[in-house]
Amino acid sequence: MNYKDCLAAIEKKNALGSRPGLSTIQEMLNRLGSPEKGIPAIQIAGTNGKGSILAYTESILTEAGILTGRYVSPAVFDYRDKYLIGGKRISEEMTAEILSAALRVSEEMVRDGLPEPTAFETETAAAFLLYRKMQCDVILVECGMGGALDATNVLEENKTSVLASVSLDHLGILGNTVEEIADTKLGITRKGETLIVFPEQEDGVKGVIRSWQEKNHLHVIYPDLEKLQILSETAEESRFSYRGIEYLIRLPGRHQILNAMTALEICCTALADRQTEKGNTMIRWEKTLQDGLRKTAWPGRWTIIDRNPMVILDGAHNEKAWLVLADNVRRLLSGKKIFFLTGVFRDKEYDKMTRILAPLIHEAAVITPPGARGLPAEELARMFRQKGTMATAFDEYREALQYLKASAGADDVILCTGSLSFLGELMKLVKGDSPNIIC
Protein backbone atom coordinates (compact mmCIF):
# COMPACT_ATOMS: atom_id res chain seq x y z
CA MET A 1 0.00 0.00 0.00
CA ASN A 2 1.19 3.51 -0.74
CA TYR A 3 1.02 6.42 1.71
CA LYS A 4 -2.38 7.71 0.58
CA ASP A 5 -3.89 4.21 0.65
CA CYS A 6 -2.63 3.72 4.21
CA LEU A 7 -4.11 7.02 5.39
CA ALA A 8 -7.43 6.11 3.76
CA ALA A 9 -7.42 2.75 5.55
CA ILE A 10 -6.67 4.44 8.88
CA GLU A 11 -9.41 6.99 8.28
CA LYS A 12 -11.86 4.16 7.65
CA LYS A 13 -10.84 2.57 10.96
CA ASN A 14 -11.63 5.81 12.79
CA ALA A 15 -15.29 4.79 12.54
CA LEU A 16 -14.50 2.03 15.07
CA GLY A 17 -13.91 4.69 17.71
CA SER A 18 -11.99 3.94 20.90
CA ARG A 19 -11.91 0.51 22.54
CA PRO A 20 -10.20 0.32 25.95
CA GLY A 21 -8.31 -2.90 26.55
CA LEU A 22 -5.00 -4.56 25.73
CA SER A 23 -5.89 -7.94 24.22
CA THR A 24 -6.16 -6.67 20.63
CA ILE A 25 -2.95 -4.63 20.61
CA GLN A 26 -1.07 -7.49 22.29
CA GLU A 27 -2.28 -9.89 19.60
CA MET A 28 -1.16 -7.44 16.91
CA LEU A 29 2.28 -7.05 18.45
CA ASN A 30 2.70 -10.81 18.87
CA ARG A 31 1.99 -11.30 15.16
CA LEU A 32 4.51 -8.55 14.33
CA GLY A 33 7.27 -10.21 16.35
CA SER A 34 6.85 -8.22 19.60
CA PRO A 35 8.69 -5.08 18.42
CA GLU A 36 7.85 -3.26 21.67
CA LYS A 37 10.11 -5.51 23.74
CA GLY A 38 13.65 -4.67 24.77
CA ILE A 39 13.76 -0.96 23.90
CA PRO A 40 14.15 1.33 26.94
CA ALA A 41 11.02 3.46 27.13
CA ILE A 42 9.67 6.56 28.83
CA GLN A 43 5.89 6.53 28.95
CA ILE A 44 3.76 9.53 29.89
CA ALA A 45 0.13 9.85 30.93
CA GLY A 46 -1.81 12.89 32.11
CA THR A 47 -4.29 15.50 30.93
CA ASN A 48 -2.24 18.55 29.97
CA GLY A 49 1.39 19.05 29.02
CA LYS A 50 2.26 15.52 27.85
CA GLY A 51 3.42 16.65 24.42
CA SER A 52 5.47 19.56 25.74
CA ILE A 53 7.23 17.42 28.36
CA LEU A 54 8.13 14.83 25.74
CA ALA A 55 9.29 17.53 23.31
CA TYR A 56 11.73 18.86 25.92
CA THR A 57 12.83 15.32 26.81
CA GLU A 58 13.38 14.37 23.18
CA SER A 59 15.42 17.49 22.46
CA ILE A 60 17.70 16.91 25.46
CA LEU A 61 18.24 13.21 24.74
CA THR A 62 18.92 13.96 21.07
CA GLU A 63 21.43 16.62 22.14
CA ALA A 64 23.11 13.90 24.23
CA GLY A 65 23.54 11.75 21.11
CA ILE A 66 20.79 9.30 22.02
CA LEU A 67 18.66 8.11 19.07
CA THR A 68 15.19 8.90 20.37
CA GLY A 69 11.84 7.89 18.90
CA ARG A 70 8.70 9.76 19.97
CA TYR A 71 5.13 8.55 19.44
CA VAL A 72 2.36 11.10 20.06
CA SER A 73 -1.30 11.37 19.19
CA PRO A 74 -3.10 13.18 17.69
CA ALA A 75 -0.83 14.58 15.00
CA VAL A 76 -0.41 18.34 15.11
CA PHE A 77 0.16 19.58 11.55
CA ASP A 78 0.93 16.49 9.50
CA TYR A 79 -0.01 12.84 9.98
CA ARG A 80 3.67 11.96 10.27
CA ASP A 81 3.98 14.10 13.39
CA LYS A 82 2.85 10.95 15.21
CA TYR A 83 6.14 9.25 14.40
CA LEU A 84 9.25 11.31 15.17
CA ILE A 85 12.90 10.33 15.43
CA GLY A 86 15.20 12.93 16.92
CA GLY A 87 12.41 15.47 16.49
CA LYS A 88 12.15 14.86 12.73
CA ARG A 89 9.39 13.34 10.66
CA ILE A 90 9.86 10.11 8.78
CA SER A 91 9.20 9.98 5.04
CA GLU A 92 5.86 9.09 3.46
CA GLU A 93 7.49 5.92 2.14
CA MET A 94 8.63 4.81 5.59
CA THR A 95 5.22 5.69 7.05
CA ALA A 96 3.55 3.55 4.38
CA GLU A 97 5.91 0.67 5.11
CA ILE A 98 5.14 0.47 8.83
CA LEU A 99 1.41 1.14 8.44
CA SER A 100 1.10 -1.46 5.67
CA ALA A 101 2.62 -4.10 7.96
CA ALA A 102 0.23 -3.23 10.78
CA LEU A 103 -2.77 -3.10 8.45
CA ARG A 104 -1.93 -6.55 7.03
CA VAL A 105 -1.95 -8.00 10.53
CA SER A 106 -5.25 -6.23 11.18
CA GLU A 107 -6.78 -7.92 8.13
CA GLU A 108 -5.42 -11.30 9.26
CA MET A 109 -7.00 -10.90 12.68
CA VAL A 110 -10.39 -10.07 11.16
CA ARG A 111 -10.15 -13.16 8.91
CA ASP A 112 -9.36 -15.21 12.01
CA GLY A 113 -12.55 -14.02 13.68
CA LEU A 114 -10.86 -11.63 16.12
CA PRO A 115 -12.00 -8.05 16.82
CA GLU A 116 -10.80 -5.55 14.24
CA PRO A 117 -8.01 -3.34 15.63
CA THR A 118 -8.93 0.33 15.93
CA ALA A 119 -7.05 3.11 14.19
CA PHE A 120 -5.13 3.94 17.38
CA GLU A 121 -4.21 0.30 18.01
CA THR A 122 -2.97 -0.03 14.43
CA GLU A 123 -0.96 3.19 14.62
CA THR A 124 0.54 2.18 17.97
CA ALA A 125 1.66 -1.19 16.62
CA ALA A 126 3.20 0.60 13.63
CA ALA A 127 5.09 2.94 15.97
CA PHE A 128 6.75 0.10 17.86
CA LEU A 129 7.60 -1.54 14.52
CA LEU A 130 9.27 1.68 13.34
CA TYR A 131 11.39 2.22 16.42
CA ARG A 132 12.55 -1.40 16.40
CA LYS A 133 13.45 -1.11 12.70
CA MET A 134 15.38 2.14 13.27
CA GLN A 135 17.14 0.66 16.34
CA CYS A 136 16.24 3.58 18.59
CA ASP A 137 18.13 3.83 21.87
CA VAL A 138 15.02 4.96 23.74
CA ILE A 139 11.38 5.58 22.87
CA LEU A 140 9.06 8.23 24.28
CA VAL A 141 5.46 7.04 24.32
CA GLU A 142 2.48 9.30 24.94
CA CYS A 143 -0.66 7.58 26.19
CA GLY A 144 -3.79 8.21 24.22
CA MET A 145 -6.84 9.16 26.21
CA GLY A 146 -6.33 6.77 29.11
CA GLY A 147 -3.74 4.85 31.07
CA ALA A 148 -4.31 1.34 32.39
CA LEU A 149 -6.24 0.14 29.34
CA ASP A 150 -4.64 2.44 26.78
CA ALA A 151 -3.20 0.67 23.73
CA THR A 152 0.26 2.05 24.53
CA ASN A 153 0.27 0.30 27.93
CA VAL A 154 2.10 -2.83 26.74
CA LEU A 155 5.60 -1.87 27.87
CA GLU A 156 6.85 -4.14 30.62
CA GLU A 157 10.61 -3.62 31.00
CA ASN A 158 13.30 -0.92 31.01
CA LYS A 159 10.62 1.71 31.53
CA THR A 160 10.24 5.02 33.34
CA SER A 161 6.74 6.40 33.83
CA VAL A 162 5.75 10.06 33.90
CA LEU A 163 2.55 11.69 35.13
CA ALA A 164 1.85 15.09 33.59
CA SER A 165 -0.69 17.55 34.97
CA VAL A 166 -3.98 15.79 35.78
CA SER A 167 -7.35 17.53 35.56
CA LEU A 168 -10.93 16.78 34.59
CA ASP A 169 -11.23 15.63 30.99
CA HIS A 170 -13.09 12.80 29.21
CA LEU A 171 -15.51 12.62 32.12
CA GLY A 172 -17.45 9.36 32.38
CA ILE A 173 -14.79 7.53 30.35
CA LEU A 174 -11.73 7.78 32.57
CA GLY A 175 -13.67 8.63 35.73
CA ASN A 176 -15.93 11.29 37.20
CA THR A 177 -13.47 12.89 39.62
CA VAL A 178 -9.86 13.99 39.30
CA GLU A 179 -8.91 11.20 41.72
CA GLU A 180 -10.56 8.54 39.55
CA ILE A 181 -8.89 9.93 36.45
CA ALA A 182 -5.47 9.93 38.15
CA ASP A 183 -6.01 6.34 39.29
CA THR A 184 -6.75 5.28 35.73
CA LYS A 185 -3.72 7.09 34.31
CA LEU A 186 -1.36 5.63 36.95
CA GLY A 187 -2.17 2.21 35.54
CA ILE A 188 0.85 2.69 33.25
CA THR A 189 3.22 2.15 36.20
CA ARG A 190 4.95 -1.14 37.03
CA LYS A 191 6.11 -2.38 40.43
CA GLY A 192 9.43 -0.95 41.56
CA GLU A 193 9.86 1.48 38.67
CA THR A 194 10.53 5.22 38.73
CA LEU A 195 7.56 7.61 38.44
CA ILE A 196 8.31 11.27 37.67
CA VAL A 197 5.45 13.65 38.47
CA PHE A 198 4.61 17.15 37.21
CA PRO A 199 5.22 19.32 40.29
CA GLU A 200 1.81 20.96 40.69
CA GLN A 201 -1.01 18.46 41.23
CA GLU A 202 -4.27 18.73 43.12
CA ASP A 203 -4.21 17.33 46.67
CA GLY A 204 -6.54 14.50 45.65
CA VAL A 205 -4.17 13.48 42.88
CA LYS A 206 -1.21 13.51 45.27
CA GLY A 207 -3.16 11.18 47.56
CA VAL A 208 -3.72 8.72 44.71
CA ILE A 209 -0.01 8.88 43.83
CA ARG A 210 0.94 8.07 47.44
CA SER A 211 -1.40 5.08 47.37
CA TRP A 212 0.20 3.75 44.17
CA GLN A 213 3.66 4.47 45.57
CA GLU A 214 3.00 2.35 48.67
CA LYS A 215 1.22 -0.44 46.82
CA ASN A 216 3.76 -0.81 43.99
CA HIS A 217 6.96 0.37 45.71
CA LEU A 218 7.42 3.17 43.17
CA HIS A 219 10.38 5.54 43.29
CA VAL A 220 8.48 8.83 42.97
CA ILE A 221 10.30 12.01 41.90
CA TYR A 222 8.73 15.47 42.02
CA PRO A 223 10.68 18.44 40.62
CA ASP A 224 11.66 20.63 43.59
CA LEU A 225 9.79 23.94 43.36
CA GLU A 226 11.96 25.37 46.12
CA LYS A 227 14.95 25.08 43.77
CA LEU A 228 13.17 27.08 41.02
CA GLN A 229 13.77 30.79 40.37
CA ILE A 230 11.96 32.44 37.45
CA LEU A 231 14.31 35.08 36.03
CA SER A 232 12.26 36.61 33.19
CA GLU A 233 9.21 35.94 31.02
CA THR A 234 8.15 37.46 27.70
CA ALA A 235 5.73 36.42 24.98
CA GLU A 236 8.61 34.69 23.18
CA GLU A 237 10.80 33.07 25.84
CA SER A 238 11.34 32.37 29.52
CA ARG A 239 14.52 32.24 31.59
CA PHE A 240 14.73 30.37 34.86
CA SER A 241 17.20 28.80 37.26
CA TYR A 242 16.70 25.28 38.55
CA ARG A 243 19.03 23.65 41.04
CA GLY A 244 21.52 26.45 40.44
CA ILE A 245 21.68 26.14 36.62
CA GLU A 246 20.17 28.77 34.30
CA TYR A 247 17.97 27.76 31.37
CA LEU A 248 16.19 29.45 28.46
CA ILE A 249 13.07 28.01 26.81
CA ARG A 250 11.17 29.30 23.80
CA LEU A 251 7.78 27.96 24.91
CA PRO A 252 6.55 30.83 27.12
CA GLY A 253 4.42 30.63 30.24
CA ARG A 254 4.96 29.43 33.79
CA HIS A 255 3.36 26.06 33.00
CA GLN A 256 6.06 25.49 30.37
CA ILE A 257 8.76 26.18 32.94
CA LEU A 258 7.19 23.46 35.11
CA ASN A 259 7.00 21.12 32.09
CA ALA A 260 10.70 21.82 31.41
CA MET A 261 11.59 21.05 35.03
CA THR A 262 9.75 17.75 34.72
CA ALA A 263 11.73 16.95 31.56
CA LEU A 264 14.98 17.78 33.34
CA GLU A 265 14.18 15.22 36.04
CA ILE A 266 13.25 12.64 33.37
CA CYS A 267 16.51 13.20 31.50
CA CYS A 268 18.66 13.12 34.60
CA THR A 269 17.13 9.73 35.38
CA ALA A 270 17.81 8.55 31.81
CA LEU A 271 21.31 10.05 31.62
CA ALA A 272 22.45 8.82 35.03
CA ASP A 273 23.08 5.37 33.57
CA ARG A 274 25.35 6.91 30.91
CA GLN A 275 27.71 8.68 33.30
CA THR A 276 31.30 7.52 33.06
CA GLU A 277 32.17 9.08 36.39
CA LYS A 278 30.24 9.53 39.59
CA GLY A 279 28.76 12.88 40.52
CA ASN A 280 25.71 15.10 40.21
CA THR A 281 23.97 14.17 36.94
CA MET A 282 22.57 17.65 36.38
CA ILE A 283 26.03 19.24 36.71
CA ARG A 284 27.68 16.49 34.64
CA TRP A 285 25.26 17.09 31.73
CA GLU A 286 24.73 20.84 32.30
CA LYS A 287 25.41 22.09 28.75
CA THR A 288 23.45 19.24 27.17
CA LEU A 289 20.45 20.04 29.35
CA GLN A 290 20.71 23.76 28.61
CA ASP A 291 21.11 23.33 24.84
CA GLY A 292 18.35 20.71 24.67
CA LEU A 293 15.81 22.96 26.39
CA ARG A 294 16.84 26.00 24.35
CA LYS A 295 16.38 24.15 21.06
CA THR A 296 13.00 22.65 21.94
CA ALA A 297 10.09 23.54 19.67
CA TRP A 298 6.57 22.16 20.00
CA PRO A 299 4.32 23.52 17.23
CA GLY A 300 0.84 24.47 18.36
CA ARG A 301 1.84 25.41 21.90
CA TRP A 302 2.05 29.22 22.02
CA THR A 303 3.61 29.17 18.56
CA ILE A 304 4.21 32.57 16.95
CA ILE A 305 3.70 32.09 13.22
CA ASP A 306 3.48 35.68 11.96
CA ARG A 307 4.08 39.29 12.99
CA ASN A 308 2.61 42.73 12.28
CA PRO A 309 0.21 41.73 13.73
CA MET A 310 1.55 38.88 15.85
CA VAL A 311 -0.33 35.61 15.22
CA ILE A 312 -0.10 32.97 17.98
CA LEU A 313 -1.33 29.38 17.81
CA ASP A 314 -2.09 27.57 21.07
CA GLY A 315 -3.71 24.14 21.32
CA ALA A 316 -5.63 24.76 24.58
CA HIS A 317 -8.37 22.12 24.58
CA ASN A 318 -9.97 21.92 28.04
CA GLU A 319 -10.81 24.07 31.06
CA LYS A 320 -7.40 23.90 32.74
CA ALA A 321 -5.62 24.69 29.47
CA TRP A 322 -7.93 27.66 28.84
CA LEU A 323 -7.21 29.00 32.34
CA VAL A 324 -3.47 28.72 31.64
CA LEU A 325 -3.95 30.44 28.28
CA ALA A 326 -5.91 33.27 29.95
CA ASP A 327 -3.15 33.70 32.52
CA ASN A 328 -0.52 33.91 29.78
CA VAL A 329 -2.56 36.54 27.92
CA ARG A 330 -2.86 38.67 31.06
CA ARG A 331 0.82 38.42 31.97
CA LEU A 332 2.59 38.22 28.60
CA LEU A 333 0.30 40.31 26.38
CA SER A 334 -0.68 43.02 28.85
CA GLY A 335 -1.91 46.15 27.09
CA LYS A 336 -2.37 44.37 23.74
CA LYS A 337 -5.69 44.26 21.93
CA ILE A 338 -6.57 40.57 21.43
CA PHE A 339 -8.40 39.26 18.36
CA PHE A 340 -9.49 35.64 18.63
CA LEU A 341 -9.84 32.93 15.99
CA THR A 342 -11.25 29.57 17.00
CA GLY A 343 -13.23 26.48 16.09
CA VAL A 344 -14.12 23.73 18.56
CA PHE A 345 -15.65 20.27 18.73
CA ARG A 346 -19.12 19.98 20.18
CA ASP A 347 -17.96 17.50 22.86
CA LYS A 348 -15.73 20.16 24.48
CA GLU A 349 -16.90 22.45 27.28
CA TYR A 350 -17.11 25.48 25.03
CA ASP A 351 -19.35 27.38 27.44
CA LYS A 352 -16.46 27.36 29.92
CA MET A 353 -14.07 28.40 27.15
CA THR A 354 -16.13 31.46 26.28
CA ARG A 355 -16.60 32.36 29.95
CA ILE A 356 -12.84 32.17 30.61
CA LEU A 357 -11.57 33.86 27.44
CA ALA A 358 -14.31 36.28 26.38
CA PRO A 359 -13.35 38.99 28.93
CA LEU A 360 -9.87 39.17 27.38
CA ILE A 361 -10.97 39.37 23.74
CA HIS A 362 -11.70 42.46 21.67
CA GLU A 363 -13.30 40.50 18.80
CA ALA A 364 -13.68 36.84 17.81
CA ALA A 365 -13.89 35.10 14.43
CA VAL A 366 -15.32 31.58 14.54
CA ILE A 367 -15.31 28.71 12.05
CA THR A 368 -16.82 25.20 12.09
CA PRO A 369 -14.13 22.48 12.29
CA PRO A 370 -14.55 19.76 9.64
CA GLY A 371 -16.29 16.50 10.52
CA ALA A 372 -19.38 15.50 12.45
CA ARG A 373 -17.90 16.64 15.78
CA GLY A 374 -17.49 20.26 14.71
CA LEU A 375 -19.60 22.78 16.64
CA PRO A 376 -21.45 25.11 14.21
CA ALA A 377 -19.62 28.42 14.06
CA GLU A 378 -22.73 30.52 14.55
CA GLU A 379 -23.58 28.69 17.77
CA LEU A 380 -20.18 29.45 19.28
CA ALA A 381 -20.24 33.05 17.97
CA ARG A 382 -23.61 33.55 19.67
CA MET A 383 -22.14 32.39 23.00
CA PHE A 384 -19.33 34.95 22.70
CA ARG A 385 -21.85 37.70 21.91
CA GLN A 386 -23.93 36.72 24.94
CA LYS A 387 -20.83 37.39 27.06
CA GLY A 388 -20.30 40.83 25.54
CA THR A 389 -17.65 40.00 22.93
CA MET A 390 -18.09 40.87 19.25
CA ALA A 391 -18.06 37.62 17.26
CA THR A 392 -18.61 36.67 13.61
CA ALA A 393 -19.06 33.21 12.06
CA PHE A 394 -17.11 32.37 8.89
CA ASP A 395 -17.29 29.50 6.44
CA GLU A 396 -13.58 28.80 6.17
CA TYR A 397 -10.19 29.48 7.76
CA ARG A 398 -8.71 31.81 5.13
CA GLU A 399 -11.67 34.19 5.17
CA ALA A 400 -11.66 34.38 8.99
CA LEU A 401 -7.91 35.01 9.22
CA GLN A 402 -7.99 37.65 6.49
CA TYR A 403 -10.83 39.43 8.28
CA LEU A 404 -8.92 39.58 11.57
CA LYS A 405 -5.68 40.69 9.90
CA ALA A 406 -7.58 43.54 8.26
CA SER A 407 -9.15 44.49 11.61
CA ALA A 408 -6.05 44.24 13.81
CA GLY A 409 -3.37 46.88 14.09
CA ALA A 410 0.36 46.16 13.82
CA ASP A 411 0.74 46.04 17.62
CA ASP A 412 -2.34 43.89 18.21
CA VAL A 413 -2.38 40.09 18.60
CA ILE A 414 -4.40 37.41 16.81
CA LEU A 415 -4.71 34.42 19.13
CA CYS A 416 -5.82 31.14 17.54
CA THR A 417 -6.94 28.14 19.54
CA GLY A 418 -9.13 25.09 19.02
CA SER A 419 -8.73 21.59 17.63
CA LEU A 420 -5.25 20.59 16.47
CA SER A 421 -6.50 19.96 12.93
CA PHE A 422 -7.86 23.52 12.94
CA LEU A 423 -4.48 24.91 14.03
CA GLY A 424 -2.74 22.81 11.40
CA GLU A 425 -4.79 24.39 8.64
CA LEU A 426 -3.96 27.86 9.93
CA MET A 427 -0.24 27.03 10.06
CA LYS A 428 -0.33 25.92 6.42
CA LEU A 429 -2.11 29.13 5.41
CA VAL A 430 0.60 31.29 6.93
CA LYS A 431 3.79 29.20 6.79
CA GLY A 432 3.19 26.49 4.20
CA ASP A 433 4.31 22.91 4.87
CA SER A 434 8.02 22.07 4.86
CA PRO A 435 8.57 18.85 6.80
CA ASN A 436 12.01 17.91 8.12
CA ILE A 437 12.53 14.29 7.08
CA ILE A 438 14.78 11.79 8.91
CA CYS A 439 14.29 8.56 6.96
Side-chain angles (χ1 to χ4, degrees), residues 173-210:
I173 300 174
L174 302 182
N176 294 307
T177 67
V178 70
E179 291 84 2
E180 290 177 353
I181 291 171
D183 190 66
T184 297
K185 291 182 181 294
L186 284 168
I188 67 169
T189 61
R190 302 291 184 265
K191 285 190 176 183
E193 76 175 18
T194 297
L195 171 67
I196 298 167
V197 183
F198 179 83
E200 290 188 346
Q201 303 282 0
E202 294 186 22
D203 288 342
V205 173
K206 290 181 180 178
V208 175
I209 293 169
R210 284 193 296 271

Side-chain angles (χ1 to χ4, degrees), residues 26 32 78 92 105 151 202 245 266 272 280 295 319 322 391:
Q26 287 173 335
L32 287 167
D78 184 284
E92 291 185 354
V105 166
E202 294 186 22
I245 300 174
I266 294 169
N280 185 299
K295 294 177 181 180
E319 182 179 8
W322 295 322

Side-chain angles (χ1 to χ4, degrees), residues 317-332:
H317 65 286
N318 56 32
E319 182 179 8
K320 186 168 185 178
W322 295 322
L323 288 168
V324 168
L325 179 60
D327 181 64
N328 283 343
V329 170
R330 293 187 189 96
R331 291 188 305 103
L332 306 179

Side-chain angles (χ1 to χ4, degrees), residues 42-44 49-60 68-72 139-143 162 259 263 266 296 298:
I42 296 167
Q43 185 177 20
I44 188 168
K50 298 190 298 295
S52 296
I53 291 171
L54 288 194
Y56 288 125
T57 302
E58 175 187 58
S59 185
I60 292 170
T68 305
R70 174 159 58 114
Y71 175 53
V72 298
I139 55 174
L140 310 179
V141 180
E142 179 183 336
C143 282
V162 183
N259 286 335
I266 294 169
T296 301
W298 186 219

Side-chain angles (χ1 to χ4, degrees), residues 99-113:
L99 284 176
S100 293
L103 287 164
R104 281 195 297 271
V105 166
S106 174
E107 293 172 358
E108 291 172 4
M109 290 172 63
V110 172
R111 286 198 299 269
D112 291 344

Side-chain angles (χ1 to χ4, degrees), residues 1-8 78-80 92-93 95-96:
M1 299 175 72
N2 63 30
Y3 180 68
K4 289 184 178 180
D5 290 338
C6 287
L7 294 196
D78 184 284
Y79 181 83
R80 291 165 295 156
E92 291 185 354
E93 291 75 17
T95 308

Side-chain angles (χ1 to χ4, degrees), residues 2 24 40 55 76 112 141 156 176 187 223 238 247 261 265 279 283 321 327 335 348 383 414 424 426 430 432 438:
N2 63 30
T24 299
V76 181
D112 291 344
V141 180
E156 296 291 343
N176 294 307
S238 297
Y247 299 95
M261 289 170 60
E265 295 294 349
I283 298 298
D327 181 64
K348 294 296 180 181
M383 296 188 76
I414 299 174
L426 289 177
V430 176
I438 179 87

